Amino acid sequence: MTPSASGAAPDAQDIAVGPIDLTARVDEALAVQAQAFGLTPEEIAVRRHIVLRHLTHPGARALGAVHTATGALAGFVYGMPNDRSQWWSTVVEPYLRRAGHDAWLDGSFTITELHVLPAYQGRGIGTRLITGITDTAAEPRSILSAIDIESPARRLYRRLGYRDLARRVHFPSAASPYAVMGADLPLRR
């Protein structure tokens, strides 16, 4: 979604946050992710299969930020209870172990993806998405990974109570290192 014809940014008040069927809206969600994160068409194709596979895991769920007038997706989050046998956990576990934090892989709800269209960023929608999904988690804490640079996303996570558990985490095929962050639930407001 782009700014209105008058040049004004879209109004975040016109956004409703709630559960979505991410399987049915996967292409729309990946279009949001592509704009927010700068993905190529090839990366989108790979991620489509990953998202659909993730959604088959027990406890996986998603929330969307939906424009009330158009039904268009302005942002989304999805996650699931962490499972040490999943690919992400197997990559981050050695880094967490070296830092003395590998116990965070147990009893945690993983934020797998959180993205908001650039025109809606900085308006509290990311906060509404992540707090909405973690507020329903049965797990006592949450973990996620984010590119290991100072960014609006990292500032958001810190404001909500996430702290760095491991830094300079390298994922295969990712150009930049990541940080793994964790927070006790419920998140700070």
Side-chain angles (χ1 to χ4, degrees), residues 41-81:
E42 295 78 21
E43 291 170 314
I44 292 169
V46 169
R47 288 175 185 249
R48 186 177 198 282
H49 295 289
I50 293 168
V51 171
L52 293 173
R53 185 179 67 240
H54 283 162
L55 294 172
T56 66
H57 288 276
R61 58 190 179 280
L63 296 180
V66 179
H67 193 278
T68 55
T70 65
L73 202 59
F76 74 100
V77 62
Y78 83 94
M80 65 193 91

XYZ file of all heavy atoms in Angstrom, residues 41-81:
306
model
N 12.455 -11.890 -6.316
C 11.448 -12.905 -6.661
C 11.923 -14.331 -6.343
O 11.123 -15.174 -5.919
C 11.243 -12.706 -8.163
C 11.570 -11.260 -8.388
C 12.702 -10.967 -7.435
N 13.199 -14.599 -6.516
C 13.727 -15.928 -6.212
C 13.639 -16.218 -4.715
O 13.281 -17.321 -4.304
C 15.180 -16.062 -6.687
C 15.360 -15.977 -8.197
C 15.296 -14.546 -8.746
O 15.508 -13.560 -8.001
O 14.992 -14.421 -9.954
N 13.969 -15.215 -3.895
C 13.879 -15.386 -2.442
C 12.430 -15.585 -2.003
O 12.145 -16.384 -1.104
C 14.485 -14.175 -1.716
C 15.988 -14.083 -1.859
C 16.530 -12.764 -1.352
O 15.960 -11.702 -1.671
O 17.554 -12.808 -0.640
N 11.518 -14.874 -2.640
C 10.095 -15.033 -2.324
C 9.653 -16.464 -2.615
O 8.938 -17.077 -1.819
C 9.243 -14.017 -3.113
C 9.539 -12.602 -2.612
C 7.757 -14.334 -2.984
C 8.953 -11.522 -3.480
N 10.057 -17.010 -3.743
C 9.661 -18.381 -4.108
C 10.149 -19.389 -3.073
O 9.407 -20.297 -2.674
C 10.198 -18.724 -5.493
N 11.377 -19.224 -2.600
C 11.916 -20.133 -1.584
C 11.145 -19.968 -0.279
O 10.756 -20.948 0.357
C 13.424 -19.876 -1.373
C 13.945 -20.609 -0.152
C 14.212 -20.277 -2.614
N 10.912 -18.726 0.122
C 10.223 -18.469 1.389
C 8.785 -18.952 1.371
O 8.252 -19.325 2.411
C 10.311 -16.986 1.741
C 11.718 -16.607 2.168
C 11.837 -15.123 2.411
N 13.219 -14.782 2.692
C 13.659 -14.388 3.869
N 12.833 -14.283 4.885
N 14.927 -14.095 4.043
N 8.149 -18.953 0.224
C 6.761 -19.424 0.139
C 6.666 -20.864 0.637
O 5.793 -21.202 1.445
C 6.262 -19.318 -1.300
C 4.801 -19.653 -1.460
C 4.357 -19.456 -2.913
N 2.927 -19.360 -3.013
C 2.115 -20.410 -2.971
N 2.601 -21.630 -2.836
N 0.810 -20.255 -3.058
N 7.568 -21.705 0.188
C 7.563 -23.111 0.622
C 7.856 -23.226 2.114
O 7.268 -24.048 2.813
C 8.571 -23.927 -0.188
C 8.233 -24.015 -1.642
N 7.183 -24.758 -2.110
C 8.802 -23.426 -2.718
C 7.114 -24.631 -3.426
N 8.074 -23.827 -3.817
N 8.761 -22.400 2.596
C 9.122 -22.427 4.017
C 7.928 -22.022 4.874
O 7.605 -22.688 5.865
C 10.341 -21.516 4.287
C 11.586 -22.093 3.600
C 10.561 -21.324 5.783
C 12.770 -21.140 3.565
N 7.264 -20.928 4.517
C 6.110 -20.460 5.293
C 5.028 -21.538 5.326
O 4.494 -21.862 6.401
C 5.548 -19.143 4.714
C 4.227 -18.774 5.388
C 6.557 -18.011 4.859
N 4.709 -22.103 4.166
C 3.655 -23.124 4.122
C 4.027 -24.343 4.960
O 3.166 -24.931 5.623
C 3.348 -23.501 2.673
C 2.710 -22.376 1.848
C 2.589 -22.787 0.387
C 1.352 -21.975 2.425
N 5.295 -24.709 4.972
C 5.740 -25.839 5.806
C 5.640 -25.481 7.286
O 5.166 -26.271 8.101
C 7.170 -26.235 5.444
C 7.644 -27.487 6.200
C 9.056 -27.904 5.833
N 10.019 -26.905 6.302
C 10.849 -26.225 5.526
N 10.868 -26.414 4.226
N 11.679 -25.349 6.037
N 6.062 -24.274 7.655
C 5.981 -23.840 9.051
C 4.554 -23.895 9.579
O 4.331 -24.247 10.736
C 6.494 -22.409 9.204
C 7.967 -22.282 9.182
N 8.578 -21.075 8.940
C 8.968 -23.167 9.379
C 9.890 -21.237 8.981
N 10.149 -22.498 9.237
N 3.606 -23.519 8.740
C 2.222 -23.435 9.193
C 1.612 -24.793 9.504
O 0.542 -24.859 10.112
C 1.385 -22.680 8.167
C 1.776 -21.206 8.011
C 1.031 -20.575 6.853
C 1.560 -20.434 9.303
N 2.312 -25.876 9.149
C 1.824 -27.220 9.487
C 2.287 -27.659 10.874
O 1.818 -28.672 11.379
C 2.291 -28.266 8.451
O 3.719 -28.396 8.517
C 1.857 -27.890 7.040
N 3.188 -26.903 11.505
C 3.702 -27.269 12.823
C 2.638 -27.032 13.893
O 1.897 -26.038 13.831
C 4.965 -26.468 13.155
C 6.155 -26.897 12.375
N 6.951 -27.946 12.751
C 6.667 -26.433 11.217
C 7.914 -28.101 11.862
N 7.757 -27.200 10.916
N 2.569 -27.898 14.882
C 1.604 -27.701 15.970
C 1.817 -26.354 16.655
O 2.940 -25.964 16.957
C 1.918 -28.851 16.938
C 2.628 -29.876 16.110
C 3.379 -29.109 15.051
N 0.736 -25.643 16.856
C 0.794 -24.359 17.546
C 1.159 -23.174 16.679
O 1.180 -22.043 17.174
N 1.444 -23.390 15.386
C 1.768 -22.266 14.498
C 0.520 -21.413 14.304
O -0.586 -21.932 14.149
C 2.277 -22.776 13.159
N 0.717 -20.109 14.341
C -0.414 -19.208 14.137
C 0.081 -17.881 13.582
O 1.263 -17.573 13.669
C -1.213 -19.027 15.410
C -0.453 -18.497 16.586
C -1.321 -18.606 17.853
N -0.635 -18.132 19.017
C 0.254 -18.817 19.715
N 0.576 -20.029 19.343
N 0.822 -18.298 20.784
N -0.850 -17.114 13.046
C -0.506 -15.846 12.404
C -1.535 -14.784 12.735
O -2.718 -15.081 12.930
C -0.424 -16.026 10.891
N -1.069 -13.549 12.770
C -1.931 -12.380 12.872
C -1.625 -11.487 11.681
O -0.486 -11.434 11.213
C -1.660 -11.586 14.156
C -1.932 -12.251 15.489
C -1.589 -11.289 16.629
C -3.365 -12.708 15.589
N -2.640 -10.778 11.246
C -2.456 -9.828 10.167
C -2.909 -8.450 10.581
O -3.782 -8.303 11.447
N -2.304 -7.458 9.966
C -2.737 -6.067 10.099
C -3.450 -5.752 8.791
O -2.822 -5.652 7.739
C -1.535 -5.151 10.314
N -4.763 -5.679 8.867
C -5.601 -5.591 7.674
C -6.252 -4.216 7.591
O -6.822 -3.723 8.576
C -6.684 -6.704 7.702
C -7.586 -6.613 6.490
C -6.024 -8.072 7.792
N -6.161 -3.608 6.416
C -6.808 -2.313 6.193
C -8.316 -2.535 6.215
O -8.839 -3.361 5.461
C -6.353 -1.717 4.860
C -6.718 -0.284 4.716
N -7.962 0.136 4.316
C -6.002 0.845 4.964
C -7.996 1.441 4.301
N -6.822 1.897 4.688
N -9.007 -1.826 7.099
C -10.435 -2.075 7.298
C -11.285 -1.757 6.072
O -12.311 -2.394 5.854
C -10.967 -1.294 8.516
O -10.657 0.102 8.347
C -10.336 -1.804 9.802
N -10.888 -0.802 5.259
C -11.691 -0.428 4.086
C -11.460 -1.349 2.900
O -12.396 -1.660 2.158
C -11.390 1.017 3.688
N -10.217 -1.811 2.731
C -9.898 -2.572 1.521
C -9.652 -4.059 1.770
O -9.668 -4.850 0.840
C -8.633 -2.004 0.845
O -7.514 -2.204 1.726
C -8.798 -0.524 0.518
N -9.380 -4.417 3.011
C -9.026 -5.814 3.316
C -7.586 -6.150 2.973
O -7.160 -7.289 3.149
N -6.822 -5.161 2.495
C -5.429 -5.406 2.111
C -4.564 -5.595 3.356
O -4.789 -4.975 4.395
C -4.901 -4.248 1.272
N -3.571 -6.437 3.217
C -2.643 -6.725 4.300
C -1.573 -5.636 4.365
O -0.876 -5.378 3.385
C -2.008 -8.095 4.042
C -1.422 -8.862 5.210
C -2.471 -9.127 6.276
C -0.850 -10.182 4.719
N -1.454 -4.984 5.526
C -0.426 -3.959 5.731
C 0.749 -4.518 6.524
O 1.815 -3.917 6.564
C -1.015 -2.760 6.463
N 0.561 -5.687 7.149
C 1.620 -6.312 7.928
C 1.156 -7.665 8.426
O -0.040 -7.990 8.367
N 2.102 -8.459 8.902
C 1.754 -9.767 9.447
C 2.860 -10.247 10.371
O 3.996 -9.768 10.315
C 1.513 -10.804 8.335
C 2.771 -11.274 7.651
C 3.351 -12.494 7.989
C 3.393 -10.513 6.669
C 4.514 -12.929 7.366
C 4.544 -10.934 6.041
C 5.119 -12.151 6.396
N 2.502 -11.178 11.220
C 3.441 -11.873 12.084
C 2.994 -13.321 12.128
O 1.800 -13.615 12.073
C 3.477 -11.271 13.510
C 2.149 -11.385 14.227
C 4.588 -11.888 14.348
N 3.963 -14.231 12.183
C 3.611 -15.610 12.490
C 4.711 -16.230 13.312
O 5.842 -15.757 13.340
C 3.266 -16.423 11.236
C 4.409 -17.016 10.450
C 4.834 -18.330 10.687
C 5.027 -16.305 9.438
C 5.859 -18.894 9.944
C 6.046 -16.858 8.680
C 6.455 -18.157 8.944
O 7.469 -18.725 8.203
N 4.325 -17.253 14.033
C 5.279 -17.928 14.886
C 4.717 -19.239 15.379
O 3.600 -19.636 15.023
N 5.513 -19.900 16.229
C 5.143 -21.222 16.733
C 5.982 -21.550 17.958
O 7.045 -20.944 18.163
C 5.374 -22.268 15.649
C 6.844 -22.440 15.251
S 7.076 -23.373 13.741
C 7.054 -22.043 12.551
N 5.518 -22.509 18.747
C 6.372 -22.967 19.844
C 7.689 -23.489 19.272
O 7.698 -24.185 18.252
C 5.557 -24.094 20.484
C 4.140 -23.787 20.105
C 4.224 -23.182 18.732
